[in-house]
Amino acid sequence: MRLEGNSHRDTPDANVIDWLLEEDQPSVRYHTLVDLLGRNEDDPEVKAAHSTIPRVGWAHDLLRTQKPKGYWEAHEPRTVREWVNFLRFPLYNSSIWKGIVLSDLGLTATDPRVRRLADRIFQYKLHLSSEVNLFTEEICIVGNAARMLTRFGYADDRRVRKLYDWMIEDQREDGGWNCSTGTPGTLDVWEALAAYAALPRAKRSGKIEQSISRGSEFYLERRLFQEGRRYAPWFRFHYPIHYFYDVLVGLDVMTQLGFADDRRLGPALKILKNKRQPDGSWLLDAVHPDMVPDAGSVPSLKKHKRFTLEAPGKPSKWITLTALRVLRRVEDAS
């Protein structure tokens, strides 16, 4: 699937690449140009697409409801309870969750609205002298915050480095992570490895590289989905990712970390290829993997409003982009 320059027009993927290059979603266009077509960041089309991300499409829709100080909540906290919940709750619709999506879409702190959001996160959730912070929270939120802030451009900030220190410390003996104290690792807790994947190699310490090696082996040993009884939600591709895992999440993280040539990815890659539609796209199977279109969900999710960018059950530009990125890395590695 070597798709460089305009050569994609001579491949079977031409139609789907042209679909991803449409200008209605400049974040998808930008990532397609860079990650699939091999364009450089200084390419005029790449620069134009990136500059349009906050002005058109998903990122614009998110940013237009942001408050002037950088958050989406009604107001800043006035009580201890509000302080604890601020930016994090309600799940999936508060500021940190929206920031994670903005970081996925390609925005950084060069945009003042992103910078104001980061300022609020540092002020309320990563203040070094505050008892209300994320530094020793569950790895799920720690990894998500580290990945988001790294992508925003704060990888060298000592508060972000402190998040990475906790991910190393909280890694279990088996190489995985868990959001429950004293329990073994589980495939469901992928956020630490995803944060490592967002960190440029030059910024990874020896301890981080060792943690990556142990964590990746945990996933590869289990072929990304072989843990306990078959769990159907892991086979439903979803976005936004939030806390939830699926096979595509695992493939995306493993191939980003440099394991695209590991043969143990074979079963997961077969699942990925089998889910491709005749037109070359992939569907958004669900908003959350535990939620399927027009069906029930697990009780813990029913109370949370569903936040999505695309319609579940239909071809998804974001899922298709992610899937093709995975296949591109595998081809490059081979």
Side-chain angles (χ1 to χ4, degrees):
M1 198 192 72
R2 174 66 66 176
L3 304 172
E4 295 180 347
N6 292 319
S7 63
H8 76 278
R9 300 191 183 283
D10 301 322
T11 76
D13 293 308
N15 290 337
V16 73
I17 294 295
D18 285 340
W19 177 55
L20 297 178
L21 287 172
E22 290 174 352
E23 296 184 357
D24 62 327
Q25 294 301 341
S27 58
V28 175
R29 178 176 170 81
Y30 165 75
H31 288 298
T32 300
L33 288 167
V34 173
D35 299 336
L36 300 183
L37 300 183
R39 301 283 191 87
N40 295 322
E41 292 287 348
D42 59 358
D43 181 287
E45 284 191 86
V46 172
K47 293 170 70 174
H50 192 269
S51 69
T52 309
I53 292 174
R55 294 185 283 113
V56 176
W58 298 323
H60 171 264
D61 292 341
L62 285 172
L63 288 169
R64 66 184 177 84
T65 58
Q66 184 188 37
K67 300 291 191 302
K69 287 190 176 182
Y71 53 82
W72 278 262
E73 288 71 16
H75 52 76
E76 292 186 76
R78 297 171 294 194
T79 66
V80 173
R81 183 187 179 97
E82 288 182 353
W83 187 292
V84 171
N85 291 336
F86 189 54
L87 306 180
R88 287 184 59 185
F89 300 98
L91 290 176
Y92 321 131
N93 282 278
S94 52
S95 295
I96 285 179
W97 303 101
K98 293 180 179 180
I100 292 168
V101 173
L102 292 174
S103 75
D104 287 344
L105 297 179
L107 290 183
T108 70
T110 57
D111 188 298
R113 292 165 295 183
V114 171
R115 190 162 58 250
R116 287 193 288 270
L117 169 61
D119 287 343
R120 297 291 78 74
I121 293 170
F122 285 125
Q123 176 185 1
Y124 285 101
K125 298 303 175 189
L126 295 174
H127 198 289
L128 293 172
S129 63
S130 173
E131 294 183 2
V132 182
N133 59 55
L134 301 180
F135 293 123
T136 56
E137 278 267 13
E138 295 177 345
I139 287 298
C140 310
I141 185 62
V142 171
N144 274 335
R147 183 174 86 255
M148 170 183 58
L149 290 168
T150 295
R151 287 178 171 171
F152 282 165
Y154 295 96
D156 293 325
D157 189 288
R158 64 176 178 153
R159 295 161 292 185
V160 176
R161 302 305 295 190
K162 192 174 177 67
L163 294 174
Y164 283 99
D165 290 342
W166 175 240
M167 289 189 285
I168 295 170
E169 184 177 341
D170 198 50
Q171 191 169 19
R172 306 304 158 91
E173 290 186 8
D174 58 15
W177 286 266
N178 206 313
C179 287
S180 301
T181 304
T183 49
T186 172
L187 294 173
D188 263 323
V189 183
W190 50 273
E191 290 88 350
L193 284 179
Y196 291 151
L199 195 62
R201 282 184 178 273
K203 297 183 183 297
R204 297 177 190 169
S205 66
K207 287 184 178 180
I208 286 178
E209 290 289 4
Q210 184 179 25
S211 182
I212 289 172
S213 178
R214 293 179 58 221
S216 297
E217 188 62 22
F218 178 89
Y219 278 79
L220 292 168
E221 282 181 349
R222 291 157 179 78
R223 307 302 191 267
L224 307 192
F225 62 86
Q226 295 175 2
E227 182 177 88
R229 297 176 61 182
R230 187 182 189 278
Y231 186 56
W234 287 351
F235 302 88
R236 298 177 190 140
F237 295 170
H238 73 291
Y239 191 83
I241 304 300
H242 296 323
Y243 278 151
F244 299 97
Y245 179 74
D246 65 40
V247 171
L248 182 56
V249 171
L251 282 169
D252 190 31
V253 173
M254 286 293 97
T255 55
Q256 284 184 71
L257 286 170
F259 296 93
D261 61 346
D262 195 295
R263 293 184 178 181
R264 290 171 290 181
L265 293 182
L269 287 168
K270 182 177 180 181
I271 292 168
L272 176 66
K273 293 173 182 177
N274 287 344
K275 286 176 69 68
R276 194 171 194 181
Q277 302 300 298
D279 65 0
S281 69
W282 279 262
L283 304 182
L284 176 70
D285 293 323
V287 177
H288 300 141
D290 292 300
M291 289 179 164
V292 295
D294 303 318
S297 67
V298 296
S300 63
L301 293 179
K302 288 182 179 179
K303 62 183 179 181
H304 298 299
K305 183 180 179 182
R306 295 168 64 170
F307 165 56
T308 187
L309 303 183
E310 299 179 280
K314 295 185 177 181
S316 161
K317 286 190 173 183
W318 193 259
I319 298 297
T320 300
L321 168 66
T322 305
L324 290 177
R325 279 168 159 172
V326 167
L327 295 179
R328 171 69 185 264
R329 294 178 196 132
V330 170
E331 181 177 342
D332 286 349
S334 64

